[in-house]
mmCIF file of all heavy atoms in Angstrom:
data_model
loop_
_atom_site.group_PDB
_atom_site.id
_atom_site.type_symbol
_atom_site.label_atom_id
_atom_site.label_comp_id
_atom_site.label_asym_id
_atom_site.label_seq_id
_atom_site.Cartn_x
_atom_site.Cartn_y
_atom_site.Cartn_z
ATOM 1 N N LEU A 697 12.868 7.894 4.868
ATOM 2 C CA LEU A 697 12.791 8.722 3.689
ATOM 3 C C LEU A 697 12.693 10.208 4.066
ATOM 4 O O LEU A 697 12.231 10.558 5.138
ATOM 5 C CB LEU A 697 11.607 8.309 2.838
ATOM 6 C CG LEU A 697 11.638 7.013 2.110
ATOM 7 C CD1 LEU A 697 10.270 6.527 1.735
ATOM 8 C CD2 LEU A 697 12.586 7.105 0.890
ATOM 9 N N GLY A 698 13.152 11.061 3.148
ATOM 10 C CA GLY A 698 13.013 12.498 3.318
ATOM 11 C C GLY A 698 11.659 13.025 2.945
ATOM 12 O O GLY A 698 10.831 12.310 2.373
ATOM 13 N N ASP A 699 11.405 14.277 3.284
ATOM 14 C CA ASP A 699 10.108 14.894 3.005
ATOM 15 C C ASP A 699 9.757 14.855 1.511
ATOM 16 O O ASP A 699 8.602 14.673 1.145
ATOM 17 C CB ASP A 699 10.111 16.353 3.459
ATOM 18 C CG ASP A 699 10.114 16.465 4.958
ATOM 19 O OD1 ASP A 699 9.774 15.503 5.666
ATOM 20 O OD2 ASP A 699 10.491 17.540 5.482
ATOM 21 N N GLU A 700 10.759 14.989 0.637
ATOM 22 C CA GLU A 700 10.507 15.038 -0.803
ATOM 23 C C GLU A 700 10.008 13.690 -1.330
ATOM 24 O O GLU A 700 9.426 13.660 -2.466
ATOM 25 C CB GLU A 700 11.761 15.476 -1.539
ATOM 26 C CG GLU A 700 12.885 14.474 -1.571
ATOM 27 C CD GLU A 700 13.751 14.513 -0.301
ATOM 28 O OE1 GLU A 700 13.389 15.297 0.607
ATOM 29 O OE2 GLU A 700 14.707 13.716 -0.199
ATOM 30 N N ASP A 701 10.200 12.601 -0.597
ATOM 31 C CA ASP A 701 9.801 11.285 -1.077
ATOM 32 C C ASP A 701 8.538 10.776 -0.395
ATOM 33 O O ASP A 701 8.157 9.622 -0.658
ATOM 34 C CB ASP A 701 10.941 10.301 -0.830
ATOM 35 C CG ASP A 701 12.205 10.618 -1.632
ATOM 36 O OD1 ASP A 701 12.070 10.890 -2.846
ATOM 37 O OD2 ASP A 701 13.298 10.611 -1.031
ATOM 38 N N GLN A 702 7.913 11.593 0.439
ATOM 39 C CA GLN A 702 6.749 11.076 1.183
ATOM 40 C C GLN A 702 5.572 10.783 0.310
ATOM 41 O O GLN A 702 4.795 9.859 0.598
ATOM 42 C CB GLN A 702 6.346 12.121 2.269
ATOM 43 C CG GLN A 702 7.345 12.249 3.412
ATOM 44 C CD GLN A 702 7.590 10.935 4.123
ATOM 45 O OE1 GLN A 702 6.765 10.075 4.266
ATOM 46 N NE2 GLN A 702 8.851 10.765 4.532
ATOM 47 N N GLY A 703 5.402 11.486 -0.816
ATOM 48 C CA GLY A 703 4.322 11.147 -1.763
ATOM 49 C C GLY A 703 4.474 9.801 -2.363
ATOM 50 O O GLY A 703 3.552 8.990 -2.378
ATOM 51 N N HIS A 704 5.714 9.480 -2.814
ATOM 52 C CA HIS A 704 5.962 8.166 -3.360
ATOM 53 C C HIS A 704 5.920 7.068 -2.292
ATOM 54 O O HIS A 704 5.461 5.981 -2.557
ATOM 55 C CB HIS A 704 7.330 8.146 -4.076
ATOM 56 C CG HIS A 704 7.379 9.063 -5.265
ATOM 57 N ND1 HIS A 704 8.015 10.299 -5.203
ATOM 58 C CD2 HIS A 704 6.885 8.970 -6.524
ATOM 59 C CE1 HIS A 704 7.930 10.906 -6.378
ATOM 60 N NE2 HIS A 704 7.218 10.103 -7.200
ATOM 61 N N SER A 705 6.390 7.405 -1.083
ATOM 62 C CA SER A 705 6.372 6.482 -0.010
ATOM 63 C C SER A 705 4.874 6.164 0.352
ATOM 64 O O SER A 705 4.534 4.999 0.573
ATOM 65 C CB SER A 705 7.047 7.065 1.235
ATOM 66 O OG SER A 705 6.847 6.249 2.355
ATOM 67 N N ALA A 706 4.019 7.181 0.355
ATOM 68 C CA ALA A 706 2.606 6.983 0.669
ATOM 69 C C ALA A 706 1.968 6.086 -0.386
ATOM 70 O O ALA A 706 1.197 5.176 -0.040
ATOM 71 C CB ALA A 706 1.859 8.299 0.763
ATOM 72 N N ALA A 707 2.263 6.332 -1.655
ATOM 73 C CA ALA A 707 1.707 5.516 -2.747
ATOM 74 C C ALA A 707 2.152 4.076 -2.622
ATOM 75 O O ALA A 707 1.372 3.156 -2.757
ATOM 76 C CB ALA A 707 2.068 6.092 -4.089
ATOM 77 N N SER A 708 3.477 3.858 -2.375
ATOM 78 C CA SER A 708 4.020 2.523 -2.274
ATOM 79 C C SER A 708 3.391 1.781 -1.064
ATOM 80 O O SER A 708 3.028 0.598 -1.132
ATOM 81 C CB SER A 708 5.517 2.563 -2.123
ATOM 82 O OG SER A 708 6.053 1.260 -2.063
ATOM 83 N N TYR A 709 3.251 2.510 0.053
ATOM 84 C CA TYR A 709 2.628 1.941 1.252
ATOM 85 C C TYR A 709 1.200 1.527 0.962
ATOM 86 O O TYR A 709 0.772 0.429 1.313
ATOM 87 C CB TYR A 709 2.664 3.013 2.351
ATOM 88 C CG TYR A 709 1.916 2.621 3.584
ATOM 89 C CD1 TYR A 709 2.446 1.759 4.540
ATOM 90 C CD2 TYR A 709 0.659 3.122 3.868
ATOM 91 C CE1 TYR A 709 1.801 1.417 5.712
ATOM 92 C CE2 TYR A 709 -0.015 2.811 5.021
ATOM 93 C CZ TYR A 709 0.547 1.935 5.937
ATOM 94 O OH TYR A 709 -0.126 1.604 7.083
ATOM 95 N N VAL A 710 0.428 2.412 0.286
ATOM 96 C CA VAL A 710 -0.997 2.097 0.024
ATOM 97 C C VAL A 710 -1.056 0.943 -1.027
ATOM 98 O O VAL A 710 -1.933 0.087 -0.935
ATOM 99 C CB VAL A 710 -1.728 3.320 -0.514
ATOM 100 C CG1 VAL A 710 -3.188 2.957 -0.839
ATOM 101 C CG2 VAL A 710 -1.740 4.385 0.557
ATOM 102 N N PHE A 711 -0.104 0.906 -1.995
ATOM 103 C CA PHE A 711 -0.085 -0.225 -2.910
ATOM 104 C C PHE A 711 0.076 -1.548 -2.152
ATOM 105 O O PHE A 711 -0.666 -2.509 -2.419
ATOM 106 C CB PHE A 711 1.064 -0.059 -3.925
ATOM 107 C CG PHE A 711 0.729 0.746 -5.146
ATOM 108 C CD1 PHE A 711 1.577 1.805 -5.513
ATOM 109 C CD2 PHE A 711 -0.369 0.442 -5.900
ATOM 110 C CE1 PHE A 711 1.245 2.543 -6.638
ATOM 111 C CE2 PHE A 711 -0.678 1.205 -7.068
ATOM 112 C CZ PHE A 711 0.134 2.263 -7.397
ATOM 113 N N GLY A 712 1.011 -1.538 -1.219
ATOM 114 C CA GLY A 712 1.209 -2.766 -0.382
ATOM 115 C C GLY A 712 0.021 -3.066 0.476
ATOM 116 O O GLY A 712 -0.433 -4.214 0.598
ATOM 117 N N TYR A 713 -0.507 -2.021 1.067
ATOM 118 C CA TYR A 713 -1.696 -2.125 1.982
ATOM 119 C C TYR A 713 -2.854 -2.757 1.217
ATOM 120 O O TYR A 713 -3.480 -3.720 1.681
ATOM 121 C CB TYR A 713 -2.039 -0.710 2.440
ATOM 122 C CG TYR A 713 -3.001 -0.611 3.567
ATOM 123 C CD1 TYR A 713 -2.558 -0.377 4.850
ATOM 124 C CD2 TYR A 713 -4.377 -0.704 3.354
ATOM 125 C CE1 TYR A 713 -3.475 -0.240 5.898
ATOM 126 C CE2 TYR A 713 -5.287 -0.568 4.395
ATOM 127 C CZ TYR A 713 -4.801 -0.348 5.653
ATOM 128 O OH TYR A 713 -5.715 -0.214 6.718
ATOM 129 N N ARG A 714 -3.107 -2.287 0.020
ATOM 130 C CA ARG A 714 -4.241 -2.758 -0.724
ATOM 131 C C ARG A 714 -3.981 -4.071 -1.423
ATOM 132 O O ARG A 714 -4.925 -4.829 -1.659
ATOM 133 C CB ARG A 714 -4.675 -1.678 -1.765
ATOM 134 C CG ARG A 714 -5.164 -0.423 -1.118
ATOM 135 C CD ARG A 714 -6.389 -0.693 -0.249
ATOM 136 N NE ARG A 714 -6.895 0.512 0.379
ATOM 137 C CZ ARG A 714 -8.037 0.575 1.077
ATOM 138 N NH1 ARG A 714 -8.763 -0.516 1.249
ATOM 139 N NH2 ARG A 714 -8.446 1.689 1.617
ATOM 140 N N THR A 715 -2.762 -4.376 -1.694
ATOM 141 C CA THR A 715 -2.405 -5.697 -2.189
ATOM 142 C C THR A 715 -2.731 -6.768 -1.157
ATOM 143 O O THR A 715 -3.304 -7.817 -1.450
ATOM 144 C CB THR A 715 -0.928 -5.803 -2.567
ATOM 145 O OG1 THR A 715 -0.623 -4.872 -3.627
ATOM 146 C CG2 THR A 715 -0.531 -7.175 -3.031
ATOM 147 N N ALA A 716 -2.390 -6.458 0.090
ATOM 148 C CA ALA A 716 -2.744 -7.395 1.222
ATOM 149 C C ALA A 716 -4.229 -7.449 1.399
ATOM 150 O O ALA A 716 -4.753 -8.535 1.662
ATOM 151 C CB ALA A 716 -2.052 -6.898 2.495
ATOM 152 N N ASN A 717 -4.949 -6.336 1.231
ATOM 153 C CA ASN A 717 -6.430 -6.330 1.267
ATOM 154 C C ASN A 717 -6.974 -7.322 0.210
ATOM 155 O O ASN A 717 -7.833 -8.131 0.478
ATOM 156 C CB ASN A 717 -6.964 -4.954 0.925
ATOM 157 C CG ASN A 717 -6.735 -3.968 2.019
ATOM 158 O OD1 ASN A 717 -6.924 -2.741 1.818
ATOM 159 N ND2 ASN A 717 -6.258 -4.362 3.188
ATOM 160 N N PHE A 718 -6.376 -7.265 -0.994
ATOM 161 C CA PHE A 718 -6.838 -8.079 -2.077
ATOM 162 C C PHE A 718 -6.586 -9.570 -1.805
ATOM 163 O O PHE A 718 -7.488 -10.421 -1.938
ATOM 164 C CB PHE A 718 -6.125 -7.650 -3.395
ATOM 165 C CG PHE A 718 -6.345 -8.594 -4.526
ATOM 166 C CD1 PHE A 718 -7.565 -8.633 -5.163
ATOM 167 C CD2 PHE A 718 -5.303 -9.439 -4.949
ATOM 168 C CE1 PHE A 718 -7.741 -9.501 -6.259
ATOM 169 C CE2 PHE A 718 -5.517 -10.284 -6.005
ATOM 170 C CZ PHE A 718 -6.746 -10.325 -6.664
ATOM 171 N N ILE A 719 -5.365 -9.870 -1.389
ATOM 172 C CA ILE A 719 -4.966 -11.259 -1.143
ATOM 173 C C ILE A 719 -5.815 -11.831 -0.005
ATOM 174 O O ILE A 719 -6.332 -12.950 -0.073
ATOM 175 C CB ILE A 719 -3.478 -11.391 -0.840
ATOM 176 C CG1 ILE A 719 -2.636 -10.970 -2.061
ATOM 177 C CG2 ILE A 719 -3.092 -12.778 -0.348
ATOM 178 C CD1 ILE A 719 -1.145 -10.885 -1.772
ATOM 179 N N ALA A 720 -5.951 -11.061 1.086
ATOM 180 C CA ALA A 720 -6.712 -11.517 2.243
ATOM 181 C C ALA A 720 -8.173 -11.673 1.863
ATOM 182 O O ALA A 720 -8.793 -12.659 2.196
ATOM 183 C CB ALA A 720 -6.570 -10.514 3.399
ATOM 184 N N GLY A 721 -8.721 -10.664 1.163
ATOM 185 C CA GLY A 721 -10.150 -10.717 0.823
ATOM 186 C C GLY A 721 -10.495 -11.832 -0.111
ATOM 187 O O GLY A 721 -11.402 -12.654 0.169
ATOM 188 N N VAL A 722 -9.735 -11.933 -1.208
ATOM 189 C CA VAL A 722 -10.010 -13.015 -2.189
ATOM 190 C C VAL A 722 -9.716 -14.390 -1.572
ATOM 191 O O VAL A 722 -10.520 -15.301 -1.628
ATOM 192 C CB VAL A 722 -9.188 -12.807 -3.451
ATOM 193 C CG1 VAL A 722 -9.286 -14.037 -4.384
ATOM 194 C CG2 VAL A 722 -9.686 -11.594 -4.201
ATOM 195 N N GLY A 723 -8.543 -14.461 -0.914
ATOM 196 C CA GLY A 723 -8.165 -15.802 -0.358
ATOM 197 C C GLY A 723 -9.113 -16.254 0.734
ATOM 198 O O GLY A 723 -9.531 -17.433 0.674
ATOM 199 N N VAL A 724 -9.400 -15.445 1.700
ATOM 200 C CA VAL A 724 -10.303 -15.820 2.781
ATOM 201 C C VAL A 724 -11.709 -16.146 2.304
ATOM 202 O O VAL A 724 -12.264 -17.188 2.669
ATOM 203 C CB VAL A 724 -10.331 -14.708 3.874
ATOM 204 C CG1 VAL A 724 -11.436 -15.010 4.889
ATOM 205 C CG2 VAL A 724 -8.983 -14.655 4.600
ATOM 206 N N LEU A 725 -12.258 -15.313 1.431
ATOM 207 C CA LEU A 725 -13.624 -15.549 0.986
ATOM 208 C C LEU A 725 -13.713 -16.819 0.126
ATOM 209 O O LEU A 725 -14.674 -17.625 0.279
ATOM 210 C CB LEU A 725 -14.144 -14.379 0.202
ATOM 211 C CG LEU A 725 -14.359 -13.077 0.977
ATOM 212 C CD1 LEU A 725 -14.847 -11.966 0.087
ATOM 213 C CD2 LEU A 725 -15.365 -13.306 2.093
#
């Protein structure tokens, strides 16, 4: 991605990151 899209890229990355946190946390516990 270009520099102009890094904000949206960061948000999408964190969305995915935290989705995995949620699935792992809820599922494992």
Side-chain angles (χ1 to χ4, degrees):
L697 288 161
D699 290 341
E700 69 279 2
D701 296 313
Q702 289 304 325
H704 297 102
S705 172
S708 181
Y709 173 80
V710 178
F711 274 128
Y713 192 101
R714 295 301 180 172
T715 297
N717 291 167
F718 170 73
I719 295 172
V722 171
V724 169
L725 292 179

